[in-house]
Amino acid sequence: MTGRTAPSGAWRPPLSLDEYAERARTRLDPAVWDFIEGGAGDERTLAANRAAFDRVRLRPRVLTGAGEGDPSTTVLGRRWAAPVAVAPMAYHTLMHPDGETATARAAGAAGLPLVVSTFAGRSFAEIAAVAGSPLWLQVYCFRDRATTRRLVEQAADAGFEALVLTADTPRLGRRLRDLRNDFRLPPHITPANLPADEADYSSPSEHGRTGLDPSLDWSVIAWLRSVSPLPVLVKGVMTAEDARCAIAAGADGIVVSNHGGRQLDGTAATLEVLPGIAAAVDGRCALLLDGGVRRGRDVLAALALGADAVLLGRPVLHGLAVAGADGAAGVLDLVLDELSEAMALTGTATAADADAALLAGPEDTTAVRHRRSGAASTTGPQAPAAGPEATPAAGPEDTVPARHHPPGATTTGPQAPAAGPEATPAAGPEDTVPARHHPPGAAPRDDRRHPPESAAGHDRPRPPEPAPEAAEATEAAGLRKADLHRSVSDPVLDTMNFLNEITGRFPDVVSFAPGRPYEEFFDKDEILDHVRRYLDHLAAGGASDEAIRTALYQYGPTAGQIRGLISDSLRADEGIDAPPGAIVVTVGAQEGMLLALRALFAGPGDVLLVASPCYVGITGAASLLGVPVRPVEERADGLHVADVEAAVLAERARGRRPRAFYVVPDHSNPSGNTLSRRAREELLELAARHDLLILEDSPYRLVSPGAQLPTLKAMDRTRRVVHLGSYAKSVFPGARVGFVVADQPVRDPSGAESLLADELAKIKSMVTVNTPALSQAAVAGALLACGGRLTERNAVPAKHYGEALRVTLEQLDRHFPEDVRDRLGIGWNRPSGGFFLTVRVPFPADNAALLRSAEDHGVIWTPMAYFYPGPGGERSIRLSFSYLSTARIEDGIARFAAFLRAETERSGATGPTPGRDA
């Protein structure tokens, strides 16, 4: 039952939330009332939250044809009846014996989500049993991470759909009302989901001081992702700078919140800072707000200033205190009725239509509406102020930080240099460096925020809009990022911005970042020789001039026209016996990954396992296709097959199907590690045992010195391996030619059989149509020149890369003898080939350290944290030496050594590096 009709007896629902509050106050013990109602300090922030909404003036519109308006919206992929959810609040059982179960019933009846507090008075299972709408878990991170992990797992088991990390409580604020009352919970009020015998919960302030972890940093988001597939929102963000950090750290959403005025007194109201944060977010994740919402028009004002939804807090508790579930439902119904009224009177047809045009007075600018629409935001002093009379977020938190970028942060605005030949050392997708990836289970980001614009009222004739101002008219065609595919908001796709910025600002640095081939091996005339050789080969095979012309100028077969030559080369060079029909020629290895993932991952329960740290191309392709990723972390000595099996079993226990495992078995990018022969055999046995496919990617084998171990595909007897190949390193990157060996049989319902390669070709016909014939001709000519034996062709380059690796290791040894590196806590691996090695350091190897390295020491490297789909790599560095001369390596390592010494001294961290990077 809702609050619109009196349930029984004399109780009649109040007509405003203030009336609910007054009735609740008379029913509650004064100390309990102060506990839920009070704020920190002098309660200035508590008052400011409401005052900010009071200052907003909405613009009524007439004859719009919008009807009553449709308030429904989509957040984190779920449809809500309105852009309102119940905020997390502790101990609903203080208000009513039914506690959170009553609130869940009310929220379900209204079609709104409930964010359940860590300190809920009823169990997650009880709440979930009566819930009729999404449940999210508000997470406090305890000093004992095992307690937090168990809490998250319990919520996930109960069907909760998201985690809301409260990030603004390194300690609880000084709440004078509770101190004066010496507030203690009644004996029967306890947190139902926390261990009853491990802490004294009677004093919330004291338990917060002793139980909560005060040392959290942004890595906690990655940790939460490592223990749960649920999307993570960060609650407590009050600056644009922190919003950018949250996005860079992989947050799926942000809640603009000052904890209801209960933490730091004297801070701005949440509504005041919302426009600046909305500009920084720019549609890249869900954006919610709490604090001070007391009317339906407050919800509309928050939407107009950039929020996707609001959280409603104390009024729901007031409703519980007044009449249990009916009272809470009455509060929600009242807010939704007022919201519908405000939408109708402002001509707002849908929640998605709410923008700054709704605001009256000097705040009636176009700035916020364009930010909400996903158009490029303005930052810095040129951005017009928008908000309730005050100038929200006017300080440095609204400018793009020039120095302290978190991992994956990007820079925008005029200070970011344009990327160009000097600023983009990476030659292709295999050399890109990502921002932090989204871990497995990350929620979609395209449909989570705004409903389709075909909602009610949009198909009606509408009168012409007034002529827009010139500035507005020039931007009217902007798109909302929320209307684009979720992957465009994934930081993994924003790959090179920070390194580009540094390279552009410091052009004289020695860069150990790009993993591209050494350019001295390329002769500009050789390409013409390759093409001519291939044409002569076609003629020698009996092709007519007309056929040769067609082969060179027309599209050609989708699966490729040089498959026979590739098949012969694989047999001669790699011992891979793959007929031409089992091969698809692709536009680089990256397209091969995209095709393989699209074909193999058919349902939402399919999950991709990846060796971690991981080449970013595969996780980027997975993001584009919405394929969940589960990292299998390498140990200090490389990948252990037992860890792969543990990941397979864990995913199956969660009801998901591990479909394939991606691995670079030889000199991997980024770690440089190589799988032993025994590990290869074990991996193939595991694949057969668990019906798992292996995606093998080994681009560095044929340009590495010495004998190489056999590929997984050469050892494959049961067709478990899909081999991804590329000629970027073994011929030249500019050809952009790769291939997929996909000889797995595919049977249709009638029993007819084809090869997986045939299915990949079908997908390719709808993507790139074919791989360019000129590129294929150039690669074919190179294969013909060496009789398909690229190992022999690349003997000289392999020797150079081996020498580059040797010099790099030699210089590291010279600058850091064993006793010195043991004392400082610095170390590195010793790859047998490839382009990369990993250096372990005793300090955070983040973007801020990278900037100091470039600025003070003239050397660039890549943070290993970029390559971890989950947590890890925070104290590791990737060095690439492939495109540097010996002299440049010696100079660069000297600079790098100076940086390591300075940074170690600066951080005061010496001795063995603890944790995963040790």
Side-chain angles (χ1 to χ4, degrees):
M1 176 172 287
T2 71
R4 289 175 177 165
T5 303
S8 61
W11 185 79
R12 299 181 61 186
L15 300 179
S16 72
L17 298 196
D18 284 343
E19 290 182 26
Y20 270 105
E22 181 57 28
R23 292 196 194 182
R25 187 184 63 79
T26 64
R27 285 167 166 76
L28 295 173
D29 180 274
V32 171
W33 172 257
D34 282 345
F35 173 65
I36 68 166
E37 201 67 10
D42 298 325
E43 299 186 348
R44 291 179 296 165
T45 299
L46 178 66
N49 280 343
R50 294 193 64 174
F53 281 106
D54 289 341
R55 290 195 296 269
V56 171
R57 298 293 181 266
L58 299 177
R59 299 174 66 227
R61 296 293 304 278
V62 298
L63 300 178
T64 63
E68 294 187 4
D70 175 12
S72 64
T73 192
T74 300
V75 179
L76 292 183
R78 287 296 303 271
R79 196 71 170 169
W80 300 4
V84 180
V86 178
M89 295 168 289
Y91 304 119
H92 292 204
T93 43
L94 278 170
M95 307 297 109
H96 190 278
D98 291 343
E100 288 78 9
T101 58
T103 311
R105 289 190 181 95
L112 305 178
L114 165 63
V115 187
V116 179
S117 170
T118 286
F119 294 99
R122 300 296 294 267
S123 73
F124 296 153
E126 291 176 307
I127 299 168
V130 300
S133 55
L135 297 175
W136 294 358
L137 172 65
Q138 174 269 331
V139 178
Y140 282 114
C141 205
F142 294 98
R143 294 173 189 262
D144 178 10
R145 287 285 179 94
T147 297
T148 307
R149 178 193 291 266
R150 287 194 298 270
L151 192 79
V152 169
E153 290 172 346
Q154 291 171 23
D157 289 344
F160 284 46
E161 298 181 15
L163 305 177
V164 181
L165 172 69
T166 294
D168 58 1
T169 53
R171 60 174 291 171
L172 293 187
R174 183 176 173 82
R175 301 167 190 174
L176 300 184
R177 297 198 204 189
D178 293 345
L179 292 174
R180 294 189 185 103
N181 294 328
D182 189 24
F183 180 74
R184 293 289 188 275
L185 294 172
H188 66 284
I189 301 296
T190 58
N193 302 286
L194 293 175
D197 56 350
E198 294 186 10
D200 178 8
Y201 302 105
S202 62
S203 171
S205 61
E206 180 62 20
H207 178 258
R209 186 182 66 82
T210 60
L212 302 184
D213 186 349
S215 61
L216 296 180
D217 58 26
W218 291 106
S219 66
V220 70
I221 297 175
W223 180 81
L224 283 172
R225 290 193 172 284
S226 74
V227 302
S228 169
L230 299 179
V232 178
L233 299 90
V234 180
K235 180 176 180 289
V237 172
M238 288 290 289
T239 66
E241 181 181 11
D242 279 349
R244 285 187 284 266
C245 289
I247 292 170
D252 297 284
I254 289 169
V255 182
V256 179
S257 173
N258 53 31
H259 214 97
R262 292 164 71 82
Q263 282 300 99
L264 179 62
D265 195 29
T267 63
T270 54
L271 193 69
E272 290 174 343
V273 301
L274 174 62
I277 294 174
V281 170
D282 194 25
R284 289 180 288 172
C285 71
L287 181 62
L288 291 80
L289 171 140
D290 70 12
V293 177
R294 293 296 184 272
R295 295 158 297 215
R297 67 177 182 270
D298 295 346
V299 179
L300 195 58
L303 299 185
L305 288 171
D308 297 315
V310 304
L311 303 181
L312 184 66
R314 292 179 177 92
V316 177
L317 296 184
H318 300 159
L320 273 181
V322 170
D326 289 322
V331 165
L332 297 175
D333 283 343
L334 206 163
V335 172
L336 298 194
D337 281 345
E338 291 179 347
L339 173 60
S340 295
E341 175 188 70
M343 292 178 67
L345 296 179
T346 57
T348 306
T350 72
D353 292 326
D355 60 24
L358 289 172
L359 304 177
E363 298 80 20
D364 179 21
T365 71
T366 61
V368 175
R369 84 181 71 175
H370 292 304
R371 288 167 183 163
R372 282 179 58 79
S373 70
S377 62
T378 54
T379 58
Q382 73 273 26
E389 296 192 4
T391 54
E397 63 273 18
D398 284 319
T399 61
V400 177
R403 187 175 182 89
H404 298 293
H405 299 274
T410 60
T411 59
T412 59
Q415 71 273 32
E422 295 298 322
T424 54
E430 64 274 17
D431 296 315
T432 56
V433 180
R436 277 236 188 228
H437 309 241
H438 288 296
R445 283 187 170 170
D446 58 335
D447 59 350
R448 72 174 73 175
R449 305 182 68 216
H450 301 301
E453 293 206 345
S454 59
H458 275 242
D459 55 348
R460 301 176 184 176
R462 301 186 67 171
E465 289 289 334
E469 297 177 3
E472 180 179 346
T474 61
E475 300 184 60
L479 298 175
R480 294 183 309 188
K481 206 162 190 178
D483 290 336
L484 304 180
H485 187 264
R486 60 182 174 272
S487 60
V488 301
S489 296
D490 192 334
V492 70
L493 301 185
D494 191 12
T495 56
M496 284 298 290
N497 288 353
F498 190 64
L499 282 177
N500 286 349
E501 177 195 351
I502 290 182
T503 305
R505 289 171 59 187
F506 306 103
D508 296 327
V509 298
V510 176
S511 179
F512 289 99
R516 62 181 179 179
Y518 189 52
E519 291 190 0
E520 295 299 318
F521 294 129
F522 301 133
D523 184 335
K524 61 183 176 59
D525 296 325
E526 191 177 25
I527 294 177
L528 301 178
D529 295 338
H530 289 332
V531 174
R532 172 53 61 187
R533 186 178 298 109
Y534 177 59
L535 298 184
D536 291 344
H537 167 76
L538 293 179
S544 65
D545 288 346
E546 183 178 282
I548 293 174
R549 185 178 64 225
T550 299
L552 206 59
Y553 284 94
Q554 297 293 348
Y555 290 113
T558 298
Q561 58 189 22
I562 64 169
R563 292 185 292 167
L565 290 174
I566 294 174
S567 176
D568 293 342
S569 178
L570 288 173
R571 190 176 298 107
D573 233 353
E574 297 281 33
I576 296 175
D577 189 8
I583 296 171
V584 178
V585 185
T586 59
V587 181
Q590 192 67 39
E591 188 190 26
M593 295 175 193
L594 190 74
L595 298 178
L597 293 184
R598 180 65 293 158
L600 295 175
F601 289 78
D606 292 344
V607 62
L608 172 67
L609 307 182
V610 299
S612 178
C614 183
Y615 165 57
V616 303
I618 190 70
T619 47
S623 175
L624 286 173
L625 299 173
V627 174
V629 174
R630 165 69 180 256
V632 180
E633 189 169 326
E634 293 183 352
R635 303 188 195 183
D637 58 345
L639 181 73
H640 284 220
V641 176
D643 295 336
V644 181
E645 184 162 35
V648 169
L649 296 175
E651 288 300 314
R652 285 184 175 166
R654 293 168 56 191
R656 301 206 294 187
R657 178 174 69 156
R659 193 75 175 96
F661 173 60
Y662 172 85
V663 63
V664 181
D666 301 288
H667 325 299
S668 76
N669 178 8
S671 70
N673 291 332
T674 293
L675 276 181
S676 68
R677 185 180 186 108
R678 179 57 190 153
R680 294 169 197 243
E681 293 170 349
E682 291 176 351
L683 188 57
L684 290 168
E685 292 168 2
L686 179 146
R689 188 164 63 251
H690 290 291
D691 191 22
L692 186 72
L693 291 173
I694 298 172
L695 302 181
E696 177 186 31
D697 183 13
S698 288
Y700 306 100
R701 293 171 49 82
L702 302 183
V703 288
S704 294
Q708 301 295 316
L709 291 168
T711 64
L712 289 165
K713 190 60 185 174
M715 301 169 65
D716 182 21
R717 299 294 176 264
T718 57
R719 300 189 186 184
R720 291 285 168 186
V721 179
V722 176
H723 185 81
L724 304 167
S726 169
Y727 293 113
K729 308 301 186 292
S730 57
V731 179
F732 62 93
R736 304 308 304 138
V737 173
F739 59 89
V740 182
V741 179
D743 58 356
Q744 290 71 26
V746 177
R747 297 176 183 83
D748 69 17
S750 70
E753 187 172 288
S754 62
L755 292 180
L756 178 60
D758 300 320
E759 311 308 317
L760 300 186
K762 293 177 186 177
I763 300 171
K764 180 177 171 63
S765 70
M766 294 292 110
V767 182
T768 58
V769 182
N770 75 327
T771 303
L774 273 173
S775 293
Q776 293 189 66
V779 169
L783 293 176
L784 289 166
C786 63
R789 296 186 179 276
L790 290 173
T791 304
E792 295 178 3
R793 177 184 186 273
N794 286 308
V796 172
K799 183 178 179 181
H800 165 81
Y801 297 130
E803 180 68 6
L805 173 57
R806 183 192 67 79
V807 172
T808 303
L809 292 170
E810 180 183 82
Q811 292 300 307
L812 286 170
D813 287 336
R814 184 171 77 83
H815 287 281
F816 295 101
E818 187 172 357
D819 61 329
V820 175
R821 58 180 180 257
D822 287 346
R823 173 168 54 83
L824 296 180
I826 294 171
W828 50 85
N829 64 342
R830 296 180 180 273
S832 58
F835 288 7
F836 312 101
L837 62 82
T838 304
V839 180
R840 301 178 302 279
V841 296
F843 53 82
D846 54 17
N847 281 357
L850 176 55
L851 183 59
R852 289 190 292 271
S853 179
E855 191 171 51
D856 300 336
H857 302 280
V859 63
I860 291 177
W861 36 268
T862 309
M864 280 290 286
Y866 286 1
F867 301 96
Y868 280 76
E874 292 84 1
R875 293 172 181 254
S876 293
I877 287 169
R878 188 193 79 169
L879 294 185
S880 175
F881 41 79
S882 56
Y883 89 116
L884 297 173
S885 66
T886 298
R888 290 289 278 174
I889 291 173
E890 292 177 353
D891 180 28
I893 293 298
R895 300 183 188 197
F896 182 64
F899 160 72
L900 292 185
R901 291 179 183 276
E903 196 71 11
T904 300
E905 181 178 351
R906 177 183 178 279
S907 66
T910 58
T913 305
R916 68 176 70 249
D917 294 320

